[in-house]
Amino acid sequence: MSDSTSGAPSRPSQADLDRYAEQFSQSLTLRLFGAQLSFPEGRKVVVTIPELRPEHRGGAGSASAVNGGILAALFDYAVGCTGALVDPGRRCATVQLSMSFERAVTGDSLRVESEIDSQTVSLLFATARVYDGEGRVCGRCQGVVKLSNLRWPAGDSPAVI
C-alpha cells in the first residue's frame, strides 16, 4: 500500500483497525484472559486487562504479582498484532520474542503497548512494554513478526473464535 501523492506507505484506516480489534477481542483466548485490544491513533497496539483476577496471579512466588506466563502471552498478542498496523487484511505470526521482566506487575490492572521499530517486505521488528496499573514499566519485549501473503478469508475474523 502506498499513498499515491507522496509514495509513502499508507496506513490502514482507524475504522479498519477498530474492526480488527473488535473481532480479535472476541476470540476465546482474549475473553478468557479478560483482555482488550486497541490501536490508539493507528500507530501502536495496546492490550489491556482492566481487572486482574486471581488466575492471572502467582508470579515471583507471590499471590499478588502477575504470572510471567500471562505476561509472555500478552507480549505475544501485542507484538503479533503489529501486523495489523501495516495491513489488517493480511495474516501474520510472531516468530521471535525476547523478554525481560524488570519488576513484578502488581495492582488491579495492566497494559501492554507495542510499536513497529522497523520493517522489511515480510518482517516487522517491534518493541513492547508492560505497565502496571500505576503506569510503571515492569517489563520489555522485542519481537519479530512475519507478514504472510495470505489474506484473512472475506468476512472471517482475524481471530480464532
Side-chain angles (χ1 to χ4, degrees), residues 44-94:
K44 65 182 172 181
V45 176
V46 176
V47 178
T48 57
I49 297 182
E51 187 175 326
L52 289 167
R53 304 183 304 238
E55 57 269 28
H56 297 122
R57 312 280 185 178
S62 77
S64 62
V66 175
N67 182 277
I70 300 291
L71 298 174
L74 294 173
F75 274 142
D76 182 30
Y77 280 123
V79 168
C81 286
T82 58
L85 295 170
V86 174
D87 183 350
R90 283 173 74 178
R91 297 181 191 200
C92 60
T94 306

Side-chain angles (χ1 to χ4, degrees), residues 89-118:
R90 283 173 74 178
R91 297 181 191 200
C92 60
T94 306
V95 296
Q96 187 273 329
L97 290 175
S98 176
M99 298 169 277
S100 63
F101 301 112
E102 300 166 16
R103 66 172 49 218
V105 177
T106 57
D108 297 327
S109 64
L110 67 75
R111 179 179 84 253
V112 178
E113 295 183 2
S114 183
E115 296 178 284
I116 298 170
D117 295 325
S118 63

